[in-house]
Amino acid sequence: MRSSVSSPISRKAHRMAVGALFFLQGLCFSSWGSRIPSIQQQLQLSEAQLGAVLFSLPVGLMLSLPFTGWLTSKIGSRKVVTIALVIYSTTLVTIGLSQTTWQLVVALFFFGFASNMANISVNTQAVGVESLYKKSIMASFHGLWSLAGFVGAAIGTFMIGADIIPLHHFLMVLAVVLLGVALAYRYAFPQDAAAPANQPIFVKPDKALMGLGLIAFCSLICEGAMFDWSGVYFQKVVQAEKAWVAAGYTAFMSTMAFTRFIADWLTSRLGLKRVLQLSGVLTAVGLAIAVLFPHMVTAIIGFLLVGAGVSAVVPLVYGVAGKTKTMAPSMALAAVSTIGFAGFLVGPPLIGLLAGVSSLRLSFAVIALMGISVALLSGRIKSEAA
């Protein structure tokens, strides 16, 4: 669905503003992620206790999915993303203020809720800007989110080294986000594509959206597994030295971020369907290399390929979903995101379950099948979307 809204602001200004919003969202998430060890130590949580506490974040995220799509379709993504980023960064501060486990649980629940509000609304903004360019630019926005991940991690490392407590760190991030949102608001995309009249909160996605959701689901199983298990794989299977345990994760994140900046260019030349199929193949081949040849160099090469493989899938799927004519872009994104994010939740425990009954290598081999599934499902995308 394309917007016909005319704006006195240039499309480049809209793109820069929305890109900044993506960066601010990624900065909030990575700032939290970089201080998880500090929070754990501050509250004296065991690994099991931390794992239970962290579960409140995806619970908040999942519960917000249908509500966020409906709200965005009613009041517009520019207002929702502004509200969401303010809540997101403010809730980040409440995480730093938490003095008990239950306070942290509540803070993380609302942090997850606001995270998804920001995610759906900022992607709806990106769909609007993409309609001005009449070509794929969605992946580059997600590249800025990934770039913010590196920046946030680097800042977090500095803060830890300087003995700056999470609360003071998060207050600085809050100030940056509030300033960034204030500057970007005027240049954000002004009005989303029109939604069908009287659209309910809960809308069943059609067959096309279900297919897109399944592609995202399979890719996010791989992505979730890499986020949570890459370090363990290098430690226990590759048997890397302590200094190199994080090498696989770094390789994965590096190519994921870089490839997002060139994925739109590739899509304009190869077509959406071919890029998604190539993404699935790269994911499967990368995991296969890491499983068949679990040595330092080969495993790093494999993880580099996996990062390149998963990088473009979700951005490109979101871009197609946002153009549907059956419902508002925000509702379509929420529907696809609900299905896809389930894969992100399923991936890590699935790895653990399979590793428990067999081995970690075999569990990664099974996850490689999800990459093949992405390639096969992408072949069924309608030609007009491809």
Side-chain angles (χ1 to χ4, degrees):
M1 181 183 294
R2 299 193 182 276
S3 173
S4 59
V5 175
S6 59
S7 171
I9 298 171
S10 70
R11 65 180 188 176
K12 183 177 180 180
H14 284 312
R15 185 173 184 175
M16 291 176 64
V18 174
L21 295 175
F22 268 91
F23 186 90
L24 294 173
Q25 183 200 9
L27 182 64
C28 280
F29 183 80
S30 59
S31 297
W32 145 247
S34 70
R35 300 310 300 267
I36 290 176
S38 303
I39 300 292
Q40 181 183 15
Q41 184 178 19
Q42 182 177 298
L43 297 182
Q44 297 182 334
L45 300 173
S46 67
E47 277 71 22
Q49 289 172 324
L50 179 63
V53 167
L54 292 177
F55 189 67
S56 60
L57 195 155
V59 169
L61 192 152
M62 291 298 289
L63 289 178
S64 75
L65 281 165
F67 166 78
T68 300
W70 173 82
L71 180 65
T72 303
S73 70
K74 292 298 180 183
I75 70 173
S77 60
R78 180 163 70 166
K79 290 181 180 177
V80 175
V81 73
T82 301
I83 295 168
L85 284 174
V86 170
I87 296 174
Y88 198 28
S89 53
T90 302
T91 310
L92 180 65
V93 173
T94 67
I95 292 174
L97 284 168
S98 298
Q99 298 297 314
T100 68
T101 301
W102 280 108
Q103 287 175 349
L104 181 60
V105 167
V106 173
L108 285 175
F109 174 86
F110 286 104
F111 189 69
F113 198 99
S115 170
N116 187 64
M117 284 183 66
N119 180 50
I120 298 299
S121 54
V122 79
N123 275 285
T124 305
Q125 281 279 297
V127 168
V129 176
E130 193 174 61
S131 71
L132 299 177
Y133 281 80
K134 295 182 173 57
K135 65 178 182 178
S136 176
I137 61 170
M138 181 68 79
S140 64
F141 286 126
H142 286 251
L144 289 168
W145 190 96
S146 297
L147 178 62
F150 282 105
V151 172
I155 293 173
T157 301
F158 170 80
M159 294 289 181
I160 293 170
D163 290 325
I164 297 173
I165 63 173
L167 175 59
H168 295 164
H169 174 190
F170 295 160
L171 282 169
M172 296 177 199
V173 174
L174 172 64
V176 170
V177 172
L178 293 180
L179 177 61
V181 169
L183 293 174
Y185 181 81
R186 178 173 178 267
Y187 301 97
F189 199 70
Q191 185 176 336
D192 306 325
N198 301 318
Q199 185 160 281
I201 294 180
F202 297 98
V203 181
K204 182 181 178 180
D206 58 24
K207 185 177 180 180
L209 288 176
M210 285 291 292
L212 293 172
L214 286 174
I215 293 172
F217 175 86
C218 294
S219 183
L220 284 170
I221 282 182
C222 301
E223 192 172 326
M226 294 298 292
F227 274 119
D228 287 16
W229 287 93
S230 57
V232 179
Y233 192 86
F234 263 65
Q235 182 181 44
K236 295 189 175 182
V237 178
V238 179
Q239 297 183 338
E241 295 181 9
K242 187 177 180 180
W244 288 91
V245 166
Y249 178 78
T250 303
F252 165 76
M253 285 294 295
S254 298
T255 50
M256 186 171 74
F258 171 75
T259 308
R260 281 179 167 173
F261 285 109
I262 64 171
D264 295 315
W265 176 81
L266 287 173
T267 303
S268 67
R269 281 153 179 76
L270 302 178
L272 173 73
K273 185 182 295 186
R274 287 184 179 177
V275 170
L276 287 175
Q277 290 174 322
L278 178 61
S279 296
V281 170
L282 285 175
T283 301
V285 169
L287 285 167
I289 290 173
V291 169
L292 294 173
F293 309 102
H295 311 292
M296 178 62 68
V297 174
T298 49
I300 287 176
I301 292 172
F303 280 32
L304 285 169
L305 292 177
V306 176
V310 302
S311 64
V313 176
V314 170
L316 294 179
V317 164
Y318 277 8
V320 177
K323 297 179 180 69
T324 182
K325 295 179 173 60
T326 60
M327 62 178 73
S330 58
M331 296 293 288
L333 287 169
V336 171
S337 181
T338 300
I339 301 168
F341 189 74
F344 195 77
L345 294 179
V346 166
L350 179 61
I351 286 278
L353 179 64
L354 293 173
V357 299
S358 57
S359 68
L360 195 56
R361 284 180 72 184
L362 181 61
S363 62
F364 267 65
V366 172
I367 294 298
L369 296 176
M370 294 298 102
I372 296 173
S373 298
V374 168
L376 294 175
L377 289 169
S378 298
R380 302 176 64 180
I381 293 178
K382 292 182 179 179
S383 57
E384 56 266 26

